[in-house]
Amino acid sequence: MAYSFPEEVLEYVLSFIKTDKDRNAVSLVCKSWYEIERWCRRRVFIGNCYAVNPRIMIRRFPEIRSVEIKGKPHFADFNLVPEGWGGYFHPWVVAMARAYPMLEEIRLKRMVVSDDCLEMIAKSFKNFRVLVMSSCEGFSTDGLACIAANCRNLRELDLRESEVEDLSGHWLSHFPDTCTSLESLNIACLGSEVCFSALERLVSRCPNLRKLQLNRTVPLEKLPNLLIRAPELVEFGTGAYSAELRPELLSNLVNAFAGCKKLKALSGFWDVVPAYIPAIYPVCCGLTSLNLSYANIQSPDIIKLVSQCQNLQRLWVLDYIEDSGLDVLATCCKKLEELRVFPSDPYDVEPNVSLTEQGLVSVSEGCPKLQSVLYFCRRMSNAALFTIAKNSPNLIRFRLCIIEARAPDYLTYEPLDAGFGAIVENCRELRRLSLSGFLTDRVFEYIGKHAKKLEMLSIAFAGQGDLGLHHVLSGCDSLRKLEIRDCPFGDKALLANAAKLETMRSLWMSSCPVSYGACKLLGQKLRRVNVEVIDERGTPESRPDSCHIEKLYIYRTLSGPRVDTPDFIWTMDEEGNTPQ
Amino acid sequence: MSLPLQEHDYIGLSEVSPKGNSDINERSISKGLNLKATELRLGLPGSESPEREDVNLYGLNSLVSSGAKRVFSDTLNGGSEVDLVKNGGLFSPRSAEKVVEKKPQSSAAKAQVVGWPPIRSFRKNTMAISPPKNDNNADAKSGSSCIYVKVSMDGAPYLRKIDLTMYDSYSELSLGLKKMFSCFTIGQCGSHVIPARDKQSEGLLMDFLSGSEFVLTYEDKDGDWMLVGDVPWDMFIETCKRIRIMKSSDAVGLAPKGIEKCRDGN
């Protein structure tokens, strides 16, 4: 039947099929569809850079134009993954430089990218358009200069919270005068001052500039000039939002913001001087996304601002907003889908603001479209969680961080098992969950029983024993990523559920009582899975098998054991041999 | 209402604290606890007071079975076990606790667990530059946010990151770094790898290192490389961008005073 269908027709049809999931399904129909599909796949997503290698990727998909790769485990964000762990982009760029000369887009997350890599990108891909590096490290502004100078058709350069060795702001001046293609520029993570006149000229000559996120060093006074030159902006991130009080600056800002009729998203707002906040009032009613998570402004100012943003869908804010501000949010922003509240002072034992579980309850009551929550607070109760679960059955992401580890229900002193249980039971579409507070194995029983669509689970300082982990591994059908720290989960649950690990992208466990012997066993049992022991105390062979290892990272792979491990990582052998 | 203290019963905590100190002391003493040793620490009454060096992964099972013992595993930064200080309401009424715990630079207030609460470095570093506003406390709280700097050592294959706010002085920093990097020098001793946590060998390590001619240097905000120890500690943590453990033979050209200090075996 496949032969009666000309290839070109099928290819044309396939061009409408975009998602990886669908594409993968297509490729399973029959051999010829597999062949046709792989030749016309243009985009590949690699969730774990060690799950596959460049050679395999290139062999299957010879005509890729867009690549997205993720490196380090998520807990690397919190300094739990030692430096030198890996996630090097270098082998990828070397292979792609040869195989994909037409490559247009590279998106990386938590990878180590050197200046050499950037130079290679700049010189190997003539049609290169998009470079997004999220939480990456290993490169300097010299590498950026190379990109700027050589990528003639660059549309997007987004450095999203990467750690860049900031030698100077000079790199921006390397964009040639002929570069007019820029659509998105995010340099918010850079520390040094960029040459402002170069920036201004760049903005002026790029008529399609839709996204611009400045860094902290760009002073407020410069904003009006910049905004006037970029009337098409959809997303804008300010620099430091402070200056001496000058009425003409305020009116200039007001006019400049008002001129950006398409503005939908604002961010930046470091070092805010509240008197200048009214400058953005003209654009508030059009805003769908507001990131105030670096803004040190207090609740009354936040309230005045937020109450004008009736179309807000996403709000990131510090806990300065307080419960009172969240009440207002719940009243005014009925379209809210995503809320993230970050702690302004996470290390102090005492709360510095009046933000409690009540704020989140209010938002769940007032905002029927609430889907995604990240909330740091200092106390929580089962009752509040019941209410939230009842009010927001459509939650997809629920990440709650009660700042004090193992904090119980502050009203009843009970564990928060029942509360989180209500969340997983009511929120049937929940895909991502982060737990905190005092939790016994009960909560994992609930999760295993109800959280059937859960894909990512983060656990810290929770549970009583192996049974907890067993519930999760045996019950969560859709689980792809599991990350655990400081929980009393050990060998039994892992060994009993070893097969589950072959169906997941990865498992991270640190500071859990998992023995070296169990790791060796897992290494033997599991096929096409890397069982990596991370231990900075020297080889685990020098200690008894019953000794607990420091950290464990298990992930499925087609690529065999890593060849680039540092000396504090040991990959368990499939034959059960002693690793070197 | 005097409930028998159970190690497993977290609820016991709530019933204890509103009553004040006396009951706690009684029970603690009857259980043979050394209250002094547990002052400002965070164990439940009846649970063992965790010694800094002994708390480790191996003991995790027994400790956690007590229900809510706050035990944290070894950190990346210098191997110190820390207890997260809660209200401290266990041992003192709230008002007294405020006085005790708000001391600037007190180790209780700064007690932190690596990676908890889970906040990205970028955010931490950004917030460190603009200390949070607080009506209650006149002191800037910048001491309680993290200052992460990379530490490299000549000859070591990879870098480490440390949080400068975890240390109070140059000697603490030096000790922390020695512990962290000792595995590179000790590795040369052959197959008998001595775990860094072994107290006896720590002493040996320190002797080994002080004779090994390494000096601590750092890059400051202006990009200059300086010898660690030349400026007051507070100034140091504000200006230090990165640290390098250099062979003292390479450190020629940095402040001569510092090199003299080294020769004295400082």
Side-chain angles (χ1 to χ4, degrees), chain A residues 77-79 83 161 163 293 320 347-348 350 403-404 406 461 485-486 511 536-537 567-568, chain B residues 58 69-70 72-73 76 86 97 114-116 120 123-124 132-133 141 144 158-161:
Chain A
D77 285 354
F78 316 127
N79 289 299
E83 292 280 321
E161 296 188 345
E163 213 174 287
S293 65
Y320 292 133
Y347 304 108
D348 201 346
E350 292 295 310
I403 287 176
E404 182 193 333
R406 297 201 187 90
F461 307 110
R485 63 161 299 180
D486 293 275
S511 308
E536 295 177 276
R537 299 168 296 178
D567 61 9
F568 52 81
Chain B
Y58 314 109
K69 171 98 176 136
R70 283 165 178 65
F72 301 103
S73 58
L76 276 176
K86 206 190 72 158
E97 156 235 343
V114 169
W116 192 265
R120 286 188 177 181
R123 179 168 293 282
K124 267 195 281 222
K133 294 197 179 132
K141 291 258 185 61
S144 57
Y158 48 84
L159 304 176
R160 307 298 289 270
K161 254 195 212 162

Side-chain angles (χ1 to χ4, degrees), chain A residues 40-52:
Chain A
C40 68
R41 194 178 302 209
R42 296 284 173 260
R43 188 173 271 271
V44 76
F45 167 76
I46 294 166
N48 172 4
C49 64
Y50 291 117
V52 88

Side-chain angles (χ1 to χ4, degrees), chain B residues 4 7 48 58 65 123 131 137 140 161 204 211 217 230 234 264:
Chain B
E7 288 180 308
E48 286 172 359
Y58 314 109
S65 65
R123 179 168 293 282
N137 194 356
K161 254 195 212 162
L204 293 173
T217 64
D230 282 345
D234 289 327
D264 294 341

